[in-house]
């Protein structure tokens, strides 16, 4: 998967576009230049905006556009050798509640991609693993127990593969 560009109306980003190159991209911006906001936007595009935390600390409130516009964004990427566009937008009272995944330039929906599974499907892991391995935000790394992360690490250690666990392999062998 390669992200080509992102366009966001999210926090201090007002319909701004960030073009990316294949490989590692480093954002060199001054303080308050939008680095953390772009990172939060990336996470929100894959996993949505959390609204469950306290009113003041929820992502919905933290990243409501400063202009008063509704949260919205798009991401162009290459996935499975095809160009696709992900879009999130407000739907009713739900920020980022609307979702579309289409083949870029055609508006033909990408089968199987939904608002609830896009991060898991494209990246191969859920929000919790993303936040603990790929996304180090200003608050630092998240520590503590994570069943999904523990399972993935145990699978890697025991079998060398992320999606196969020792216990699942053992059960299959016993059944055979």
């Amino acid at each position: 998967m390669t992200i080509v560009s992102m366009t966001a109306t999210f926090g201090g980003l007002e319909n701004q576009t960030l073009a990316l190159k294949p490989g590692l991209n480093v954002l060199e911006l001054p303080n308050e230049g939008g680095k953390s906001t772009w990172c939060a936007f990336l996470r929100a595009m894959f996993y949505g905006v959390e609204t469950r935390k306290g009113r003041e600390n929820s992502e919905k409130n933290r990243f409501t556009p400063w202009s008063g516009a509704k949260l919205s964004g798009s991401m162009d990427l290459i996935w499975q050798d095809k160009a696709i566009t992900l879009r999130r937008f407000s739907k009713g009272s739900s920020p980022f509640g609307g979702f579309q995944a289409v083949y870029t330039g055609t508006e033909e929906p990408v089968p199987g991609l939904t608002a609830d599974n896009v991060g898991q499907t494209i990246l191969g892991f859920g929000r919790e693993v993303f936040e603990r391995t790929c996304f180090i935000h200003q608050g630092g790394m998240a520590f503590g127990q994570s069943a999904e992360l523990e399972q993935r690490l145990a699978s890697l250690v025991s079998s060398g593969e992320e999606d196969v666990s020792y216990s699942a392999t053992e059960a299959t062998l016993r059944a055979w």
Side-chain angles (χ1 to χ4, degrees):
M1 189 273 308
T2 301
I3 299 172
V4 177
S5 69
M6 302 184 289
T7 300
T9 298
F10 193 86
L13 306 172
E14 186 67 36
N15 201 30
Q16 291 185 25
T17 298
L18 178 64
L20 300 169
K21 297 176 184 170
L24 177 65
N25 287 265
V26 177
L27 300 182
E28 291 186 66
L29 300 169
N31 287 343
E32 300 302 318
K35 299 177 297 288
S36 297
T37 305
W38 277 116
C39 288
F41 176 77
L42 175 66
R43 179 184 59 209
M45 287 301 294
F46 284 121
Y47 300 103
V49 173
E50 283 197 348
T51 58
R52 288 179 266 155
K53 295 182 181 177
R55 281 186 70 126
E56 294 177 22
N57 294 330
S58 72
E59 288 180 343
K60 172 184 121 179
N61 289 332
R62 284 185 56 218
F63 296 110
T64 294
W66 296 355
S67 67
K70 293 188 177 201
L71 286 168
S72 65
S74 66
M75 178 187 301
D76 291 325
L77 53 97
I78 306 299
W79 179 59
Q80 297 182 340
D81 296 323
K82 296 190 176 168
I84 67 169
T85 299
L86 304 178
R87 294 185 189 112
R88 287 201 185 252
F89 44 90
S90 294
K91 184 176 183 182
S93 63
S94 178
F96 264 33
F99 176 82
Q100 292 178 327
V102 298
Y103 292 108
T104 304
T106 69
E107 297 303 311
E108 177 186 340
V110 178
L113 286 184
T114 67
D116 295 331
N117 74 9
V118 65
Q120 177 73 42
T121 302
I122 290 178
L123 299 176
F125 42 82
R127 182 184 184 112
E128 190 170 333
V129 169
F130 179 83
E131 289 179 338
R132 291 171 179 262
T133 60
C134 301
F135 184 80
I136 302 171
H137 54 84
Q138 288 176 325
M141 292 189 75
F143 291 100
Q145 292 185 338
S146 164
E148 183 186 3
L149 184 56
E150 286 177 21
Q151 180 183 10
R152 291 179 71 90
L153 291 173
S155 295
L156 277 171
V157 169
S158 62
S159 69
E161 296 182 27
E162 289 184 72
D163 58 348
V164 178
S165 71
Y166 169 79
S167 57
T169 303
E170 181 184 36
T172 301
L173 289 173
R174 286 188 188 279
W176 288 349

